[in-house]
Amino acid sequence: MLLKPNPENICFGCGGANARGMQLTFEQDDAANKIRGAFRLGPEYQGGVGFIHGGIIAAVLDEVMGKVCRFRGVRAVTADLGVEYLKPVLVNADLLIEGYEIEMNGRNLHIAGEIRDKTGQLLARGRGRFVIIHQKQQGNGSGDKAESK
């Protein structure tokens, strides 16, 4: 299932109502319980010349990991986020991203995310702990359809 930016959501990463956001699109793979995406990040997201800013890399990993909460049918918020920057992420490079659940303990979902280049080389990986705040609902009054991220 394709997860396009919601035109009513102002989220910096995946919202369609934020003209200054990344407006990321993901694919939900129900058979593998993974969220995937393919995209490029332009020079407006760079830190050092030619390289994507580390905070943007963390934000992209947080986005894909947050979407993994959909498989549990819950809304969760990021409680902890760790990122390993393994190789520079180049501006305008074709990137592949994937997120998947590691385990669930009570209200805590432990999720991993990876960013790779088009050859499959691992560039960055993250691990996050997401705390479930409630089951998904039809809407939460803010224009967001009550999904994590």
Side-chain angles (χ1 to χ4, degrees):
M1 167 188 350
L2 195 61
L3 306 174
K4 293 181 181 180
N6 180 339
E8 298 174 2
N9 185 342
I10 62 169
C11 176
F12 173 75
C14 66
N18 187 339
R20 298 179 78 183
M22 293 187 282
Q23 300 188 17
L24 300 173
T25 297
F26 295 99
E27 182 178 329
Q28 181 174 321
D29 182 342
D30 292 325
N33 279 348
K34 292 186 177 186
I35 301 292
R36 296 188 178 101
F39 49 86
R40 288 178 178 213
L41 296 172
E44 65 273 24
Y45 299 114
Q46 72 183 331
V49 176
F51 302 111
I52 299 300
H53 190 284
I56 296 297
I57 293 167
V60 169
L61 287 166
D62 185 48
E63 284 296 326
V64 75
M65 290 189 288
K67 293 283 188 223
V68 172
C69 298
R70 297 171 63 91
F71 295 113
R72 293 279 184 177
V74 298
R75 180 172 178 147
V77 294
T78 309
D80 294 309
L81 176 66
V83 178
E84 291 180 82
Y85 301 93
L86 304 170
K87 302 272 185 188
V89 179
L90 301 176
V91 167
N92 288 324
D94 291 321
L95 302 174
L96 305 170
I97 188 160
E98 183 173 84
Y100 53 92
E101 182 179 320
I102 299 168
E103 67 179 334
M104 182 174 173
N105 294 320
R107 292 179 42 222
N108 294 287
L109 283 168
H110 298 271
I111 300 172
E114 299 175 346
I115 298 175
R116 296 179 182 273
D117 65 15
K118 68 180 179 182
T119 69
Q121 184 174 38
L122 186 60
L123 305 175
R125 64 180 162 217
R127 287 200 175 218
R129 179 173 61 89
F130 291 75
V131 176
I132 296 169
I133 55 176
H134 58 74
Q135 298 294 319
K136 282 189 181 180
Q137 300 172 0
Q138 288 299 319
N140 66 6
S142 67
D144 187 5
K145 296 298 183 203
E147 72 179 39
S148 177
K149 298 287 170 197

